[in-house]
Amino acid sequence: MSSESKEFRKQGKEMVDYIAGYIDTIEERPPLAQVEPGYLSKLIPNAAPQNPEKWEDIMKDVEKAIMPGVSHWRSPNFHAYYEVGSSCPSILGDMLSDGIGCVGFTWIASPACTELETIVLDWICKAIGLPDEFLTEGSGKGGGVIQGSASEATIFSLLAAKMKTIRQVVEREPDKDQYDVLPKMIAYTSDQAHSSIERAALIGSIRMRILPSDNQHAMRGDTLKKAIEEDKAKGLLPFFICATLGTTGCCSFDNLQELGEICKKENIWMHVDAAYAGTAFLCPEFRYLLKGVNYATSFNFNPHKMMRVNFDCSALWVKDEDDLVQAFYVDLSFHKHKHQGAVRDLRHWQIPFGNRFRSLKLWFVLRMFGIKQLQAHVRKQVQLAHDFEKLVLSDSRFEIVNRVVLGLVCFRLKKSDELNQALVEKINASGKIHMLSSDLKGKTVLRFAICGASTENKHIQYAWNVIRGIADSLLMENGLSALSL
Ligand code: PLP
């Protein structure tokens, strides 16, 4: 036995104990790190050690130096952003992935890496009710791949759509090349889309038009149709839209049916960003929100959000694998293998060359929870959001400003933006709970997201008491009545 593996047996067990203890006592830690920038350089040296240090010393520093600067996303009192998945089955799968340490860029580089990823994404595709065209199994050309993040999935889809459109135009008009076509191309998304969508366009040097959403914060067909007509009249070439299911700001849902019909008519690639909401489609009662997904060219969601899988794990499906594989195909003699062409080589399905064995954590999560427990998790998170919504509605000083569909409630004091901003700042400074504000159609709103897997009704009640208490003193400080109307 090598001394490395001998020590690992002992240290690995201690690390599991440390993590289990961390999970069991997480509520005792402040959800938002209470440190100032630069805190860490005061606690650890400014150069790496020349000689090995003792495991015990490193672990002591974890508690002393690292943990004070950690925001505890798993805490039941963490209500910022969206839920980011974490679970023991996922950690176990990732441990194995790290233990194996292979890089699956081609099938032969580690066949199980490619094949498990393909199979598990078919499992999820069926479990969330996507059309069969996205499956690898069967006679179609569909399939799924794990990307690092939803942002990566959007960039890759946008770039693939760009290449596909250029190929089509150049085939039709052989006197043109990509540099003639590129300046005319235009993509669309809504004013509620995640910032990564606009960033994808910037990275891809693509003109993007941000369309106004309707009063339910949804992108609608008539808005897209009008924009396309205007842009075509200017000689532009609409080729891509990114629709969102479960927007970041307020968890609204674009109308895929209306948008999809237009995309089909106009030969536009429709990418669906369901980063957060995708997991909810494990439950049939939420699938009405998927209506029109049959028009999507690509579909993405993050199992590393509500599906209990640790970051990073973002699932991307396409109906036609050639759309991805042909987009940036580079043949390398060094990586040829005898099954090439007959099997999937993941290096063509993503921007990076190397592919981590991320499907193991998905596989462990799916097998150790089963679809039923994952469905129960979604339903619990949504129920907790509705419990919180009721508490807000019981206090007439506040208003709810989004339709609560999944695990996000947006609300505000019926007062100025400044007062709402001050409220969220004081809430975070209290160290008791953590939440964010956002700008919704020009108004400051507070976002309360159900994030922790261990969040229960008592934490919702606790959070509401914290919010209400701080609102009382804030209103009094500002010479306003703290009583509800
Ligand atoms: N899209 C939506 C709707 C999101 O809510 C988020 C993040 O919360 C993203 C994209 C970005 O996700 P990622 O961090 O996986 O790139």
Side-chain angles (χ1 to χ4, degrees):
M1 198 192 298
S2 75
S3 76
E4 194 177 311
S5 67
K6 190 169 160 214
E7 283 176 357
F8 178 66
R9 279 174 198 277
K10 177 177 166 291
Q11 293 159 355
K13 284 170 192 142
E14 284 175 22
M15 182 58 96
V16 168
D17 277 343
Y18 179 81
I19 296 171
Y22 170 74
I23 295 169
D24 289 345
T25 57
I26 196 157
E27 225 175 307
E28 294 162 18
R29 299 179 189 262
L32 177 65
Q34 307 285 309
V35 293
E36 293 300 321
Y39 90 97
L40 192 53
S41 60
K42 298 186 188 106
L43 298 175
I44 61 174
N46 65 358
Q50 293 294 328
N51 294 308
E53 292 195 47
K54 281 205 212 118
W55 159 258
E56 291 73 19
D57 292 343
I58 302 170
M59 287 308 286
K60 267 188 214 143
D61 279 348
V62 168
E63 254 328 301
K64 201 173 110 217
I66 303 300
M67 281 301 177
V70 172
S71 292
H72 300 286
W73 288 58
R74 290 188 77 144
S75 164
N77 299 319
F78 189 96
H79 299 291
Y81 314 103
Y82 267 139
E83 174 173 1
V84 165
S86 186
S87 67
C88 295
S90 177
I91 296 169
L92 291 170
D94 238 0
M95 260 173 89
L96 181 59
S97 166
D98 286 346
I100 294 171
C102 66
V103 184
F105 40 78
T106 56
W107 178 86
I108 195 69
S110 205
C113 186
T114 304
E115 297 204 4
L116 188 65
E117 185 158 326
T118 308
I119 292 169
V120 171
L121 285 204
D122 267 8
W123 283 10
I124 301 175
C125 184
K126 291 176 199 168
I128 62 171
L130 285 186
D132 287 354
E133 292 151 284
F134 287 106
L135 289 171
T136 299
E137 73 174 34
S139 55
K141 297 185 80 178
V145 62
I146 302 176
Q147 308 279 317
S149 63
S151 321
E152 232 174 284
T154 307
I155 291 170
F156 196 39
S157 305
L158 176 82
L159 296 179
K162 166 172 117 174
M163 297 314 281
K164 183 178 181 180
T165 305
I166 289 173
R167 271 198 315 276
Q168 287 171 347
V169 175
V170 171
E171 258 170 42
R172 242 184 2 247
E173 302 169 53
D175 55 317
K176 290 203 168 130
D177 69 15
Q178 63 167 312
Y179 302 104
D180 299 315
V181 187
L182 206 50
K184 307 250 178 264
M185 296 175 75
I186 182 159
Y188 303 90
T189 198
S190 97
D191 57 9
Q192 295 303 313
H194 188 261
S195 60
S196 59
I197 315 302
E198 201 177 337
R199 195 147 180 267
L202 288 171
I203 293 170
S205 302
I206 292 292
R207 186 196 312 247
M208 181 169 264
R209 187 163 164 187
I210 311 289
L211 301 177
S213 51
D214 71 4
N215 58 6
Q216 293 294 311
H217 314 291
M219 179 159 58
R220 301 295 301 269
D222 49 2
T223 312
L224 177 67
K225 188 164 173 279
K226 185 164 166 282
I228 290 174
E229 278 164 8
E230 285 166 7
D231 292 334
K232 284 194 349 189
K234 289 185 204 150
L236 296 176
L237 176 60
F239 78 103
F240 178 89
I241 79 158
C242 178
T244 310
L245 295 182
T247 58
T248 317
C250 65
C251 203
S252 59
F253 292 79
D254 289 342
N255 190 318
L256 294 190
Q257 180 70 29
E258 292 176 6
L259 301 169
E261 283 169 11
I262 296 166
C263 289
K264 183 168 183 225
K265 183 163 164 274
E266 300 285 343
N267 186 30
I268 290 175
W269 178 310
M270 180 161 84
H271 175 71
V272 177
D273 170 14
Y276 166 67
T279 306
F281 305 129
L282 289 172
C283 304
E285 66 269 29
F286 295 115
R287 293 204 194 132
Y288 71 96
L289 298 160
L290 274 175
K291 190 164 183 267
V293 73
N294 50 306
Y295 292 109
T297 319
S298 50
F299 182 94
N300 167 243
F301 91 98
N302 284 347
H304 73 228
K305 281 194 156 64
M306 223 187 331
M307 217 178 96
R308 310 281 339 254
V309 179
N310 281 65
F311 192 86
D312 56 346
C313 184
S314 189
L316 171 69
W317 288 268
V318 285
K319 279 187 188 150
D320 184 348
E321 65 172 295
D322 286 347
D323 286 347
L324 297 186
V325 175
Q326 299 303 326
F328 307 102
Y329 193 87
V330 177
D331 205 9
L332 299 170
S333 57
F334 176 51
H335 293 291
K336 277 209 161 67
H337 56 87
K338 69 177 180 186
H339 300 291
Q340 192 158 312
V343 292
R344 185 171 290 178
D345 283 335
L346 289 175
R347 72 187 171 95
H348 301 302
W349 286 67
Q350 57 190 23
I351 293 173
F353 183 72
N355 182 296
R356 215 161 74 75
F357 208 161
R358 284 180 290 220
S359 52
L360 278 172
K361 58 184 168 186
L362 261 178
W363 192 52
F364 273 60
V365 163
L366 287 164
R367 295 189 62 187
M368 290 176 75
F369 288 122
I371 299 296
K372 288 204 168 135
Q373 278 193 26
L374 294 172
Q375 287 172 328
H377 174 67
V378 170
R379 288 178 181 133
K380 188 187 99 176
Q381 303 300 78
V382 175
Q383 182 54 51
L384 289 173
H386 285 302
D387 292 349
F388 184 78
E389 180 187 23
K390 277 196 204 106
L391 291 171
V392 177
L393 287 171
S394 71
D395 187 328
S396 58
R397 296 170 303 172
F398 290 89
E399 60 185 339
I400 298 279
V401 292
N402 71 332
R403 188 164 73 92
V404 180
V405 180
L406 300 179
L408 179 72
V409 182
C410 295
F411 67 105
R412 68 192 306 278
L413 267 173
K414 294 176 192 163
K415 300 282 175 206
S416 68
D417 283 349
E418 291 71 28
L419 218 59
N420 279 286
Q421 197 52 49
L423 177 59
V424 80
E425 279 163 22
K426 280 182 184 285
I427 289 168
N428 289 326
S430 78
K432 293 178 177 162
I433 61 170
H434 178 38
M435 55 191 292
L436 295 177
S437 62
S438 74
D439 183 298
L440 198 55
K441 298 247 159 92
K443 272 190 177 171
T444 300
V445 304
L446 282 76
R447 277 178 92 264
F448 185 87
I450 311 296
C451 295
S454 60
T455 310
E456 301 290 345
N457 184 275
K458 66 176 182 195
H459 301 108
I460 301 303
Q461 192 67 54
Y462 171 74
W464 178 240
N465 289 340
V466 170
I467 296 166
R468 228 179 26 175
I470 294 175
D472 286 348
S473 38
L474 185 68
L475 289 169
M476 277 198 292
E477 274 166 34
N478 283 274
L480 299 160
S481 166
L483 298 174
S484 56
L485 303 172

